[in-house]
Amino acid sequence: MAGDGQTGAQRQDSSADRAGTVSERPWGETPDGRSITLYELETPGGLRAEIMTYGGVLVRLFTPDRHGLPGDIVLGHDRPEPYFDRTSSPFFGALIGRYANRIAGGRFTLQGRTYQLAQNDGPNALHGGERGFDQRLWDGHAFVGEDGPGVTLTYLSPDGEEGYPGNLAVQVTYTLTLAGALRIDYAATTDAPTPVNLTNHTYWNLTGNAGRDILGHELTVQAEAITPVDAGLIPTGELREVAGTPFDFREARRIGARVDADDEQLRYAGGYDHNFVLRGAAALHPAARLYDPATGRQVEVSTTEPGLQVYSGNFLDGCITGKGGQRYGHRWAVCLETQHFPDSPNQPQFPPAVLLPGQPFSSRTVYAFSTR
C-alpha cells in the first residue's frame, strides 16, 4: 500500500467550493525514485493546509491573526528533500508510528516473546525506529466532504518492519473543517498483536512564519499529573501531581516562565519534554490551549487519547534552516503530541497500547483555530 499516491495535478471545485477545495501536484521524489504528492486544502474561512505523502507531513498551515493577516504556524521546509534526513527535519509535521515516543531498551515482551527494536535514541527506541512512519511513502486520496476538504493517507506496515510483529494497516485522514479546525482521524488493524501508538509531530509557532521563539506563548493543559521520567527520558512508572511544580499548566502560563526552573525533570529533558496525563475518558475531551498574545492566534486541542507530550523545542539550536530561510533557534516551537503513554508496552499500569486482531484502533485529535 506504500505506493506513489496520486500524481496528476487536479482541483476539485464546482459545488464543492462551498465546502472548500483541494488540489494536488507532484512534489519531488523519494530517495528511491518514487513520486511524492503534495495536497493543498483550503476552506472558505481562510484556513489553508499543505500535506505531502512522504511521512504524511503537515508541511504548511496558514491561519489568520487577529487582524486577519494569514501566517504559516508550523515549522518545516520549502522542498521535500530535507525531510528525508532527521538531522534537518526532526519529525517536522510528520505522522509517527508504529509507536510514538520512547520504548525502554528498544525492547518489549508480548505473549511470552521478546521483541528487539532499533535503539535509535541512546539505548531506547524512539518514534518507530530508524525508518518509522515519518520516513515512509503513503498512498493518498483527496476529497471534499460535508465537513470540508481533506486527504486520506494509507500505509501497510509489514510484519517485522522495524522489529514489530504483525501486518499493520494504517489509515490517517486529515480534514480542514468548515468550523475552523484541523481534524486528524487515525485508524489501524492488525493480523497479530502489536503495540500501536500513533500521533502527529507538528512543531507549532503561532507567531506566523516562525518569526521568533515561543517562550511568550501561553499554554493551558488539562492535566493533574505527568508521568515523570528518568535521565534517559523513560517514565518511572509513577504519576506525579503537577500542583506546585513547573508542570502546572491548569491555568494559562507562559511557556518560558518556568522552563529553566531548578527542577530535576526539566534538567533531564533540557526543558519540557513530558507526557501529561489528561483528564477525560476515551471520548473526545479538551487537552490543551496554546495562545500567542502578540498575534492573537489560538489553537485548542481536543483528543480521544489519554496523554499529551509537551515538547518545548529544546534540541532546536539554530542549525536547521527552514521555510523562507528562517533559522529555527532554541525553543522556536512547541509540540503538542496526543498519544498513549511512553513505554506503555513495558508499563502494565499504564493504559494498554497493544492492538489485537479483530479489534480495530481508532483515535481522533482536533486542533481548533481562533483569535482573540
Side-chain angles (χ1 to χ4, degrees):
M1 294 173 63
D4 293 344
Q6 301 180 32
T7 58
Q10 65 184 49
R11 189 170 188 88
Q12 301 181 10
D13 42 35
S14 65
S15 62
D17 278 345
R18 293 188 299 274
T21 57
V22 57
S23 63
E24 61 183 271
R25 60 184 172 89
W27 207 49
E29 294 183 344
T30 64
D32 60 359
R34 291 180 293 166
S35 180
I36 300 168
T37 301
L38 183 73
Y39 296 91
E40 182 177 314
L41 318 178
E42 189 167 2
T43 70
L47 297 183
R48 180 161 64 89
E50 295 180 7
I51 296 157
M52 72 167 167
T53 50
Y54 187 84
V57 170
L58 176 62
V59 177
R60 296 182 179 88
L61 180 58
F62 290 87
T63 68
D65 64 11
R66 64 164 60 94
H67 302 297
L69 299 176
D72 184 5
I73 62 172
V74 301
L75 270 55
H77 294 285
D78 290 320
R79 53 193 179 86
E81 289 79 10
Y83 291 98
F84 305 158
D85 184 350
R86 287 178 179 167
T87 60
S88 57
S89 182
F91 309 100
F92 286 153
L95 296 178
I96 306 298
R98 282 189 194 190
Y99 202 90
N101 219 304
R102 294 171 175 85
I103 294 179
R107 186 183 303 110
F108 64 89
T109 300
L110 187 58
Q111 295 186 334
R113 179 178 173 182
T114 298
Y115 295 87
Q116 182 64 56
L117 312 172
Q119 295 166 295
N120 63 319
D121 183 57
N124 305 313
L126 175 66
H127 289 336
E130 297 288 352
R131 289 196 65 212
F133 290 175
D134 64 299
Q135 296 291 307
R136 303 291 176 174
L137 185 65
W138 296 62
D139 281 315
H141 172 72
F143 64 89
V144 177
E146 292 183 358
D147 293 337
V151 59
T152 295
L153 303 175
T154 55
Y155 177 69
L156 177 61
S157 177
D159 179 35
E161 184 175 80
E162 290 293 332
Y164 288 92
N167 295 292
L168 185 74
V170 185
Q171 176 177 292
V172 179
T173 299
Y174 289 96
T175 305
L176 203 59
T177 75
L178 301 180
L182 176 67
R183 186 176 70 210
I184 309 178
D185 289 297
Y186 305 88
T189 59
T190 183
D191 61 4
T194 187
V196 172
N197 187 21
L198 306 177
T199 194
N200 174 278
H201 206 299
T202 288
Y203 286 66
W204 301 95
N205 185 318
L206 302 186
T207 66
N209 308 315
R212 50 184 160 77
D213 63 43
I214 48 80
L215 296 178
H217 285 33
E218 296 177 2
L219 179 65
T220 309
V221 181
Q222 301 296 327
E224 306 287 343
I226 62 167
T227 52
V229 295
D230 61 20
L233 302 184
I234 295 296
T236 63
E238 65 177 304
L239 304 184
R240 184 175 299 175
E241 292 187 359
V242 299
T245 77
F247 295 87
D248 190 352
F249 287 96
R250 292 174 297 176
E251 295 183 358
R253 294 181 183 273
R254 289 189 304 108
I255 293 174
R258 299 171 298 177
V259 69
D260 291 317
D262 184 14
D263 179 272
E264 182 180 63
Q265 287 295 302
L266 293 175
R267 288 196 296 273
Y268 282 158
Y272 297 110
D273 193 5
H274 294 77
N275 174 63
F276 285 70
V277 180
L278 297 175
R279 306 168 185 157
L284 192 69
H285 54 271
R289 178 188 299 116
L290 185 66
Y291 171 64
D292 176 28
T295 65
R297 289 189 180 93
Q298 178 172 273
V299 56
E300 295 180 89
V301 186
S302 300
T303 187
T304 57
E305 290 294 296
L308 178 77
Q309 188 81 8
V310 175
Y311 168 58
S312 53
N314 311 315
F315 298 112
L316 297 174
D317 59 4
C319 291
I320 297 174
T321 300
K323 288 177 282 191
Q326 174 66 62
R327 286 189 175 272
Y328 296 147
H330 191 222
R331 296 175 180 152
W332 222 252
V334 60
C335 299
L336 303 171
E337 305 157 63
T338 58
Q339 62 177 7
H340 274 56
F341 298 175
D343 199 37
S344 287
N346 297 311
Q347 307 267 4
Q349 72 277 26
F350 286 174
V354 173
L355 184 64
L356 301 176
Q359 298 181 9
F361 171 88
S362 65
S363 175
R364 171 174 286 185
T365 294
V366 178
Y367 299 94
F369 309 106
S370 59
T371 60
R372 58 186 173 95

